Amino acid sequence: MTRLIVLIFLVLMPGVAVAETLTLSAGEVRVQKQAAGLKVPWGIDFLPDGRALVTERGGRLFLLDGQGAKAPVKGVPKVYARGQGGLLDVMVPRDFDRSREVFLTYATKQKGGAGTAVGKGRLSADGRRLEGFRQIFEMAPGSSGGRHFGSRIVEARDGTLFVTIGDRGDDMAAQDLSRHNGSVIRITRDGAPAPGNPFLGRDEAQPEIWSYGHRNPQGATLDLSGRLVVIEHGARGGDEVNRVQKGANYGWPVIAYGRHYSGAKIGEGTAKPGMQQPEFYWDPSIAPSGGMVYSGRLFPRWKGHLFTGSLKFDYLSRLSGSPLKEVERITGDFTTRTRDVAEAPDGAIWVVSEGNGAVYRLSRAR
């Protein structure tokens, strides 16, 4: 009787969610809802104290306290919330305790359409406002249409920023170095081209570009050695994992594993000299989003493994090995249209479910 009363109390008490336990390859895993009632949540990152910031594509930012409560954060930029555009990723840099800076990526209105942009502000002491927010970068020359914004942001080991930009639905633009479409860029924290970028000094190239030939990269993370890993949408088949190298061409739309949605062949095939092969690809497409290489802190068996979410098939994909392979598909109510996955400071894994409008925390059950 006492246990029943406690259970009823936990269900009815605001902000408290009853956990479920799953048996996975890493052992017994506890899944607990951290926030609900979100409208198309997109990106998540953590403050050093374990609280989380999560974006909604429509243009809102929330601070999650880890106890089931969320509070809106004011001072976010006006975004182009149409199609796949809107407020997208969020990144908290390693020096947050000193700088209190928070970086956002988003779609911003441009002449003739919209493009991927990056901005930053300082989070107020009470966590309720981004102060002094300013845009530090936007793609050029701009694109029409409402798809393929890419838009993950990752802090490199040297403090520079990697940002993924989709081809914006203009396939061949991903092979044009005079445009940011279909590229990974590398910029300083003030938005300038980062020193050492491969195309600095070339008049015909955008100086921020680090790599190109990408279609729509919606996942990005560093591996345990600090190397950039990018996960991107193919067309009908051919979603890719790429370990990104300086100045490299990843082939879209000249080479690809997959076909156009019409069934027509893409480009020249699956390989061409001077163009990189993916480390792994899915066929059929899973529509991957978000990316995390796990430290092993709470789940040692998963150390160094890559995780990404499937928007299409509602699961969390775990990849490992050499060559890289998908070795586990983690499923549950919490993986409905998995939009992002990230590791918290304590080693817990947080999953953003766009389908449920919710955020979940995975921790060790015992």
Side-chain angles (χ1 to χ4, degrees), residues 275-347:
M275 295 183 177
Q276 301 297 311
Q277 286 290 299
E279 188 166 357
F280 177 81
Y281 70 91
W282 288 269
D283 190 6
S285 295
I286 70 165
S289 191
M292 173 195 74
V293 172
Y294 188 62
S295 73
R297 183 171 299 176
L298 286 186
F299 306 108
R301 295 179 191 174
W302 287 346
K303 183 176 181 179
H305 294 190
L306 174 66
F307 290 77
T308 189
S310 169
L311 293 165
K312 184 176 181 181
F313 295 124
D314 299 334
Y315 71 89
L316 188 61
S317 175
R318 181 173 66 87
L319 303 99
S320 70
S322 182
L324 191 67
K325 295 181 180 179
E326 184 179 72
V327 294
E328 186 174 18
R329 292 185 170 188
I330 299 168
T331 61
D333 182 61
F334 66 97
T335 61
T336 304
R337 279 190 64 81
T338 301
R339 174 60 74 177
D340 201 8
V341 55
E343 181 178 350
D346 64 358

Side-chain angles (χ1 to χ4, degrees), residues 70-313:
K70 66 180 188 293
V73 180
K74 297 180 179 180
V76 299
K78 184 177 180 180
V79 302
Y80 181 90
R82 300 180 188 175
Q84 296 172 1
L87 182 58
L88 301 173
D89 210 7
V90 55
M91 190 275 287
V92 178
R94 292 187 296 273
D95 70 352
F96 175 83
D97 279 337
R98 177 183 60 81
S99 70
R100 297 200 64 83
E101 287 186 333
V102 172
F103 291 80
L104 300 173
T105 66
Y106 48 96
T108 189
K109 189 173 182 180
Q110 296 179 313
K111 184 178 180 180
T116 303
V118 184
K120 68 176 180 177
R122 290 172 55 89
L123 189 66
S124 61
D126 63 4
R128 297 302 180 96
R129 185 172 185 84
L130 285 182
E131 299 173 337
F133 190 90
R134 64 185 180 93
Q135 185 167 295
I136 62 171
F137 168 86
E138 66 177 81
M139 66 177 292
S143 297
S144 61
R147 60 194 176 111
H148 297 185
F149 289 91
S151 210
R152 293 295 175 186
I153 180 170
V154 175
E155 183 182 20
R157 288 275 182 90
D158 64 1
T160 59
L161 309 179
F162 289 115
V163 182
T164 69
I165 301 174
D167 67 6
R168 298 291 287 105
D170 184 353
D171 293 358
M172 285 308 299
Q175 291 294 319
D176 183 353
L177 289 173
S178 71
R179 307 176 70 179
H180 289 117
N181 303 51
S183 70
V184 174
I185 64 165
R186 177 172 168 263
I187 56 177
T188 69
R189 285 174 59 155
D190 289 321
N197 277 0
F199 304 110
L200 281 172
R202 284 180 52 172
D203 291 341
E204 76 280 11
Q206 294 287 356
E208 297 87 0
I209 292 176
W210 181 256
S211 63
Y212 63 108
H214 302 279
R215 183 174 182 270
N216 188 25
Q218 286 195 4
T221 187
L222 299 182
D223 68 15
L224 299 188
S225 299
R227 294 173 295 180
L228 181 66
V229 179
V230 166
I231 305 159
E232 55 191 283
H233 289 248
R236 205 175 85 184
D239 295 342
E240 295 183 356
V241 176
N242 288 301
R243 203 170 295 273
V244 173
Q245 302 173 44
K246 176 181 179 178
N249 181 350
Y250 288 84
W252 177 257
V254 180
I255 60 172
Y257 289 89
R259 288 184 171 269
H260 289 295
Y261 295 115
S262 65
K265 180 182 175 181
I266 296 173
E268 301 175 18
T270 58
K272 186 174 182 176
M275 295 183 177
Q276 301 297 311
Q277 286 290 299
E279 188 166 357
F280 177 81
Y281 70 91
W282 288 269
D283 190 6
S285 295
I286 70 165
S289 191
M292 173 195 74
V293 172
Y294 188 62
S295 73
R297 183 171 299 176
L298 286 186
F299 306 108
R301 295 179 191 174
W302 287 346
K303 183 176 181 179
H305 294 190
L306 174 66
F307 290 77
T308 189
S310 169
L311 293 165
K312 184 176 181 181
F313 295 124

